[in-house]
């Protein structure tokens, strides 16, 4: 027998270790679930970590209200299958209550509003660790992120003053009121994620596969037509053969033209792609340090 | 196509360096030549370079993530970079090289298989080179690759390379390193990085990329001494798995099989492995770094922090720990100070009983006069722990031989230790 794990199995083992460490070191953890492939992977790995027991934490969906229907359907089916508890933190509710104010205009997005709603929900539920599907290869600020990422009582990230993280020794100690963000899949790349989902035959939302959809183009990005986005007069809606490489809020998730409709074809397409997946995310394009700025305030 | 990646291995390597020694250029080159820099990333860097008034696309911007790093043009923290070839997936722990960031170098080195050490062909072995090599040796990175860079600036001369090789070898004979290789490169021009240089026919060895793809890392784990720190106890409490009691953890050493006679620490009780379980079904053999769940035949009280080992091969059982500690905090290490200590899945408290000497990280000199251990210092210390600790020498096992110290007031990780 050959005593080595391939890279996917090694990544899997590392993530499972981190997830079990969360269950051991924290009182009240929660999984942040967006319905995207990374949080699906995270939840799948959590299922593996505690098998045959159930995942000992609830899932939280920070819901902007601007969802793809397919995401919500998938989410509810998955929750039912896992027998897990779902907490929905609603941006719409916070707007209705007057707690936050919505952006206006063509590029209005509820992205920034999520931070407020997320921090509020973490505080209300007294969650001391929030597991997220963030990956270091996604974005330059995320490349500096720890597995166990400390947040102060305001939920802020201080990138210049992070705890050193060595070997597999994670320090989850904190003061009352502080919490941790934990990123078990830090070391996975987009391609690793797809290869693994393919290898494990994980069921995914239909949005990831090629389908025909009413879309329009803005600044070179293809958006799904929805009631949530104002269109400029020159923006024409037409049917296109597309799929999504990432899934988030409908107003900031761009599609790619693609005929890939199996995981095998997606793996091949991602491997050959000359653009990053976040290239279609308008939330990152607001400035050079858009992600770092948002993360400091307490974003995912 | 879909099965091509089934046999890919993962290799983690660390680089260290400061401005101008070509580290960022080398990483940029590896990422670019392995087609890991995508068009939108390249475009973003091109725009940034232009905005900063630079005439060429500055690939170093790819590796500097934080605003402060971009502004100051330096690397502060450890950044992780990813690329892959059909043979391997690589994780680069990209760390700063300046002495004031020793702690970041130590962090990056803690999980690496290979230390990639850059030497400027014009300058030879300098203080920073020695520092990187000493850290790599202290952290027991199994393989060291010395890249003699900027060969284009010494007209690709063999003598320049040979001189540095001998200089480094005579210095390294004082270190605890087992596998050193050398490669002459020019990161800027791409010589011997991914493609073989046409200007150095005198060099017959592998290119940098060939080395990274082929260096033997399968033996980097300890497969001899069985160590399984219990991380979490799985108890489903469902009808289907009513009496299920599994000990979840990651194998830290050795190979575990069903039917093995094992011993539990600290209790000293013996039992037999009834089953090694996972979500994907029963596992025949569990070896590092697999995460599995072990079930035993006997009902013994076991909890997180306990360790499953073999009866005839046990770790050191002690409350007095000798270790080399790298200090991370602005507040110096306190002699007789108390700290929280984390070792495998155990947590306890400890007191610093003795500071034996401070190690000069540039010369290996053991300073027994100045024992004030400040941030970035490395010292040999004696710790007394509140509980028994089951440890191996770090040289034998990087997982059961490592520990961290945590300040009980601020909760910061203040030190990292390698057990002697």
């Amino acid at each position: 027998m050959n005593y080595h794990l391939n890279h996917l199995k090694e990544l899997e083992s590392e993530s499972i270790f981190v997830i079990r460490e969360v269950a051991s070191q924290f009182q009240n953890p929660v999984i942040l679930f967006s319905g995207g492939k990374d949080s699906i992977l995270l939840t799948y790995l959590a299922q593996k970590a505690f098998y045959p027991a159930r995942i000992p934490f609830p899932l939280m969906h920070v819901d902007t209200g601007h969802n793809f229907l397919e995401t919500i359907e998938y989410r509810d089916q998955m929750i039912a299958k896992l027998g897990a508890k779902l907490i929905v933190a609603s941006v719409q509710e916070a707007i209705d209550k007057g707690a936050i104010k919505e952006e206006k205009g063509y590029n209005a997005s509820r992205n920034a509003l999520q931070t407020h709603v997320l921090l509020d929900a973490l505080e209300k539920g007294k969650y001391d660790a929030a597991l997220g599907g963030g990956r270091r290869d996604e974005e330059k600020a995320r490349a500096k992120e720890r597995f166990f990422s400390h947040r102060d009582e305001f939920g802020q990230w201080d990138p210049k003053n992070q705890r050193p993280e060595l070997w597999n020794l994670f320090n989850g100690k904190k003061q009352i009121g502080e919490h941790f963000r934990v990123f078990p899949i830090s070391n996975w790349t987009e391609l690793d994620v797809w290869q693994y989902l393919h290898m494990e035959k994980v069921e995914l939302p239909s949005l990831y596969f090629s389908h025909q959809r009413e879309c329009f183009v803005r600044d070179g990005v293809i958006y799904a037509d929805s009631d949530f986005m104002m269109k400029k007069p020159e923006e024409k809606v037409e049917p296109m053969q597309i799929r999504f490489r990432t899934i988030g809020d409908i107003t900031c998730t761009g599609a790619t033209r693609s005929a890939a409709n199996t995981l095998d074809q997606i793996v091949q397409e991602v491997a050959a792609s000359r653009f990053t997946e976040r290239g279609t995310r308008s939330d990152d394009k607001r400035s050079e340090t858009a992600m770092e700025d948002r993360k400091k305030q307490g974003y995912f | 196509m879909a099965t091509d990646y089934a046999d890919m291995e993962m290799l983690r390597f660390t680089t260290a360096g400061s401005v101008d020694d070509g580290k960022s250029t080398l990483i940029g080159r590896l990422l670019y030549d392995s087609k890991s820099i995508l068009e939108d990333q390249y475009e973003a860097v091109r725009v940034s370079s232009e905005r900063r008034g630079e005439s060429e696309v500055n690939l170093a911007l790819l590796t500097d993530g934080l605003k402060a790093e971009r502004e100051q043009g330096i690397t502060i923290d450890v950044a992780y970079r990813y690329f892959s070839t059909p043979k391997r997936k690589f994780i680069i722990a990209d760390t700063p090289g300046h002495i004031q960031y020793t702690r970041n170098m130590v962090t990056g080195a803690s999980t690496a298989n290979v230390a990639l050490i850059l030497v400027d062909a014009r300058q030879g072995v300098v203080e920073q080179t020695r520092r990187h090599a000493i850290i790599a040796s202290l952290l027991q990175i199994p393989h060291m690759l010395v890249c003699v860079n900027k060969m284009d600036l010494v007209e690709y001369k063999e003598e320049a390379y040979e001189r540095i090789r001998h200089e480094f070898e005579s210095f390294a004979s004082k270190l605890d390193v087992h596998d050193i290789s050398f490669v002459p490169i020019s990161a800027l021009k791409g010589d011997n990085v991914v493609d073989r240089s046409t200007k150095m026919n005198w060099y017959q060895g592998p290119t940098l990329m060939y080395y990274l793809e082929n260096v033997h890392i399968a033996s980097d784990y300890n497969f001899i001494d069985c160590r399984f720190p219990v991380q979490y106890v799985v108890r489903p409490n469902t009808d289907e798995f009513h009496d299920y009691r599994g000990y979840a953890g990651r194998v830290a050493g050795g190979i575990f099989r069903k039917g093995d006679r094992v011993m539990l620490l600290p209790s000293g009780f013996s039992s037999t492995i009834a089953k090694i379980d996972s979500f994907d079904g029963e596992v025949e053999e569990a070896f590092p770094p697999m995460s599995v769940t072990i079930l035993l035949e006997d009902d013994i009280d076991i909890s997180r922090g306990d360790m499953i080992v073999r009866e005839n091969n046990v770790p050191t059982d002690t409350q007095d720990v000798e270790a080399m500690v790298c200090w991370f905090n602005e507040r110096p290490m306190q002699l007789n100070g108390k700290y929280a200590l984390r070792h495998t899945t155990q947590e306890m408290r400890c007191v610093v009983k003795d500071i034996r000497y401070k190690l000069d990280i540039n010369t290996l000199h053991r300073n027994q006069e100045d024992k004030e251990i400040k941030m970035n210092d490395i010292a040999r210390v004696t710790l007394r722990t509140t509980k028994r600790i089951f440890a191996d020498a770090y040289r034998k096992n990087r997982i059961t031989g490592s520990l961290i110290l945590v300040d009980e007031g601020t909760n910061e990780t203040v030190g990292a230790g390698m057990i002697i």
Side-chain angles (χ1 to χ4, degrees):
Chain A
M1 185 162 171
N2 186 0
Y3 295 109
H4 90 257
L5 300 180
N6 75 22
H7 68 301
L8 299 174
K9 282 302 203 184
E10 188 169 340
L11 288 168
E12 176 196 77
S13 171
E14 176 180 84
S15 303
I16 288 175
F17 180 85
V18 174
I19 295 167
R20 286 171 173 168
E21 208 54 23
V22 171
S24 304
Q25 290 197 33
F26 295 94
Q27 305 284 326
N28 197 15
V30 63
I31 293 179
L32 300 177
F33 183 83
S34 70
K37 66 176 191 312
D38 297 323
S39 60
I40 291 170
L41 170 65
L42 175 63
T43 310
Y44 181 74
L45 292 166
Q47 203 185 344
K48 285 200 167 192
F50 303 106
Y51 172 86
R54 281 183 183 166
I55 301 173
F57 354 105
L59 278 70
M60 180 189 285
H61 181 208
V62 177
D63 180 358
T64 63
H66 294 164
N67 297 302
F68 291 100
L69 273 177
E70 293 89 334
T71 306
I72 300 300
E73 254 169 49
Y74 179 92
R75 178 195 78 186
D76 293 342
Q77 276 171 18
M78 200 192 73
I79 292 292
K81 234 172 39 195
L82 289 173
K85 186 181 157 198
L86 176 74
I87 299 142
V88 178
S90 164
V91 172
Q92 187 63 54
E93 233 169 72
I95 294 170
D96 294 346
K97 275 198 219 144
I100 44 178
K101 230 176 134 164
E102 181 138 39
E103 291 180 7
K104 296 247 163 19
Y106 291 112
N107 292 314
S109 153
R110 289 182 167 182
N111 190 280
L113 303 182
Q114 290 182 92
T115 302
H116 172 93
V117 175
L118 169 66
L119 292 175
D120 203 43
L122 290 177
E123 202 179 316
K124 239 185 245 155
K126 297 200 165 49
Y127 296 108
D128 57 355
L131 294 110
R135 307 190 326 263
R136 288 175 179 152
D137 88 314
E138 271 181 276
E139 207 281 334
K140 53 189 182 287
R142 288 205 160 145
K144 307 263 164 169
E145 187 64 271
R146 303 291 191 259
F147 278 94
F148 272 38
S149 182
H150 178 256
R151 299 301 149 108
D152 68 10
E153 56 187 317
F154 299 101
Q156 297 181 108
W157 182 53
D158 182 1
K160 280 200 272 186
N161 197 19
Q162 300 194 79
R163 292 181 185 174
E165 210 164 67
L166 301 96
W167 301 293
N168 54 356
L169 295 169
F170 298 104
N171 174 8
K173 284 185 173 290
K174 62 192 175 320
Q175 316 284 352
I176 293 168
E178 298 177 345
H179 75 275
F180 272 79
R181 298 291 170 83
V182 182
F183 302 103
I185 61 165
S186 286
N187 277 330
W188 298 60
T189 62
E190 184 194 11
L191 190 57
D192 296 330
V193 173
W194 284 115
Q195 287 176 344
Y196 183 83
L197 294 171
H198 175 253
M199 181 176 87
E200 298 279 310
K201 302 187 178 66
V202 178
E203 209 179 302
L204 291 171
S206 56
L207 294 165
Y208 283 116
F209 302 95
S210 177
H211 59 283
Q212 207 176 61
R213 182 179 286 267
E214 295 290 313
C215 294
F216 67 95
V217 178
R218 176 178 296 172
D219 301 330
V221 179
I222 303 170
Y223 290 99
D225 180 38
S226 73
D227 297 339
F228 309 124
M229 276 178 98
M230 279 170 73
K231 281 166 290 289
K232 298 174 187 169
E234 70 274 18
E235 289 169 344
K236 263 210 333 265
V237 174
E238 53 189 340
M240 296 181 198
Q241 194 68 27
I242 54 112
R243 67 175 204 90
F244 295 92
R245 273 176 83 182
T246 68
I247 296 177
D249 177 293
I250 216 166
T251 64
C252 59
T253 305
T256 47
R257 289 179 196 270
S258 167
N261 55 20
T262 64
L263 274 169
D264 192 46
Q265 287 167 359
I266 290 174
V267 169
Q268 290 184 46
E269 188 184 278
V270 171
S273 172
R274 298 303 305 144
F275 292 89
T276 64
E277 54 184 337
R278 293 200 84 90
T280 57
R281 291 289 283 258
S282 57
D283 43 338
D284 292 345
K285 291 191 168 168
R286 293 196 167 189
S287 83
E288 202 174 271
T289 54
M291 179 66 89
E292 184 180 342
D293 296 341
R294 281 180 298 159
K295 278 182 70 69
K296 280 180 182 165
Q297 288 163 10
Y299 188 69
F300 300 105
Chain B
M1 165 75 203
T3 53
D4 282 358
Y5 51 81
D7 289 322
M8 262 171 78
E9 275 179 317
M10 191 149 101
L11 181 140
R12 301 173 199 244
F13 69 94
T14 159
T15 59
S18 50
V19 204
D20 296 335
D21 68 358
K23 181 194 64 154
S24 298
T25 316
L26 177 63
I27 293 176
R29 169 67 62 184
L30 281 170
L31 297 178
Y32 195 77
D33 285 2
S34 65
K35 303 194 169 42
S36 306
I37 295 174
L38 301 181
E39 280 174 30
D40 51 329
Q41 287 172 310
Y42 187 81
E43 179 61 18
V45 168
R46 192 191 61 74
V47 170
S48 296
S49 307
E50 213 172 79
R51 202 177 294 152
R52 293 153 57 107
E54 294 178 24
S55 58
E56 278 183 63
V57 175
N58 184 351
L59 287 179
L61 292 178
L62 272 167
T63 56
D64 290 326
L66 302 175
K67 207 185 270 184
E69 292 176 322
R70 290 174 160 239
E71 282 161 8
Q72 297 170 43
I74 53 165
T75 313
I76 298 170
D77 202 349
V78 186
Y80 295 91
R81 311 279 155 208
Y82 303 84
F83 70 98
S84 60
T85 67
K87 282 189 93 156
R88 278 183 177 163
K89 169 195 169 85
F90 299 96
I91 302 180
I92 313 174
D94 179 18
T95 67
H98 195 269
I99 190 150
Q100 121 190 46
Y101 301 111
T102 299
R103 59 195 188 127
N104 305 78
M105 275 180 264
V106 167
T107 301
S110 73
T111 50
N113 304 94
V114 174
L116 208 149
I117 294 181
L118 274 172
V119 183
D120 186 324
R122 296 168 303 175
Q123 292 172 11
V125 176
V126 295
E127 188 179 290
Q128 185 168 284
T129 322
R130 282 193 288 271
R131 188 158 66 231
H132 296 167
I134 289 170
I135 288 171
S137 137
L138 267 173
L139 273 289
Q140 288 286 304
I141 300 181
H143 315 277
M144 196 180 277
L145 178 64
V146 181
C147 298
V148 181
N149 190 24
K150 306 196 183 180
M151 287 301 293
D152 54 313
L153 299 181
V154 293
E155 292 153 29
Y156 299 103
K157 279 199 182 118
E158 185 175 8
E159 303 86 80
Y161 167 74
E162 284 299 333
R163 185 175 49 76
I164 290 166
R165 196 162 78 101
H166 286 127
E167 200 182 343
F168 191 92
E169 272 175 343
S170 76
F171 152 73
S173 62
K174 289 180 279 182
L175 300 176
D176 187 10
V177 196
H178 315 285
D179 176 26
I180 308 181
S181 305
F182 297 84
V183 55
I185 63 166
S186 164
L188 188 71
K189 310 276 180 194
D191 293 285
N192 285 340
V193 178
V194 173
D195 301 315
R196 176 158 285 282
S197 173
T198 53
K199 301 189 181 79
M200 291 181 273
N201 290 327
W202 46 265
Y203 174 75
Q204 299 299 317
T207 62
L208 171 56
M209 185 66 98
Y210 184 90
Y211 174 92
L212 291 174
E213 282 190 315
N214 292 283
V215 58
H216 177 74
I217 54 168
S219 311
D220 288 0
Y221 285 103
N222 179 328
F223 291 105
I224 309 293
D225 310 298
C226 290
R227 306 283 186 262
F228 188 83
V230 174
Q231 192 188 3
Y232 183 84
V233 182
V234 179
R235 273 185 309 176
N237 289 324
T238 56
D239 291 343
E240 193 187 347
F241 297 99
H242 192 70
D243 293 321
Y244 191 101
R245 197 179 162 86
Y247 306 105
R250 204 173 186 199
V251 182
I255 298 157
F256 290 86
R257 298 180 185 91
K258 178 180 178 166
D260 279 353
R261 229 15 225 167
V262 290
M263 187 163 114
L264 288 316
L265 295 172
S267 71
F269 291 133
S270 291
S271 186
T272 303
I273 295 179
K275 185 184 181 185
I276 303 175
D277 207 3
S278 83
F279 178 86
D280 304 303
E282 200 169 330
V283 178
E284 285 288 313
E285 296 180 294
F287 52 88
M290 281 170 78
S291 285
V292 294
T293 301
I294 290 180
L295 286 85
L296 299 176
E297 284 187 353
D298 305 279
D299 219 353
I300 305 172
D301 178 30
I302 302 171
S303 52
R304 173 175 166 87
D306 292 359
M307 196 184 281
I308 303 178
V309 300
R310 299 293 294 266
E311 285 170 306
N312 55 359
N313 179 341
V314 294
T316 308
D317 176 355
T318 181
Q319 283 182 263
D320 295 293
V321 180
E322 290 286 320
M324 296 300 294
V325 169
C326 176
W327 199 249
F328 293 153
N329 207 260
E330 276 166 7
R331 198 161 159 258
M333 181 195 284
Q334 307 291 309
L335 182 63
N336 294 317
K338 294 186 179 67
Y339 298 96
L341 183 151
R342 242 176 222 292
H343 168 256
T344 65
T345 54
Q346 282 209 84
E347 202 197 317
M348 61 192 77
R349 298 177 73 208
C350 73
V351 56
V352 180
K353 290 295 264 192
D354 189 17
I355 298 172
R356 297 187 173 225
Y357 59 82
K358 178 152 80 175
L359 186 75
D360 187 314
I361 199 68
N362 298 319
T363 61
L364 283 177
H365 173 68
R366 296 174 176 189
N367 188 339
Q368 300 187 353
E369 275 76 56
D370 171 19
K371 292 188 186 173
E372 189 176 46
I373 309 306
K374 298 187 290 291
M375 183 150 81
N376 296 308
D377 284 345
I378 293 178
R380 163 103 185 236
V381 302
T382 308
L383 307 171
R384 172 78 182 172
T385 58
T386 52
K387 284 200 287 190
R388 289 156 65 196
I389 181 168
F390 310 104
D392 293 292
Y394 184 79
R395 289 195 77 232
K396 222 169 115 186
N397 191 319
R398 287 166 98 185
I399 305 165
T400 53
S402 53
L403 57 87
I404 57 169
L405 299 176
V406 176
D407 185 296
E408 294 185 302
T410 63
N411 294 325
E412 290 168 307
T413 304
V414 290
M418 290 141 278
I419 295 166
I420 294 164

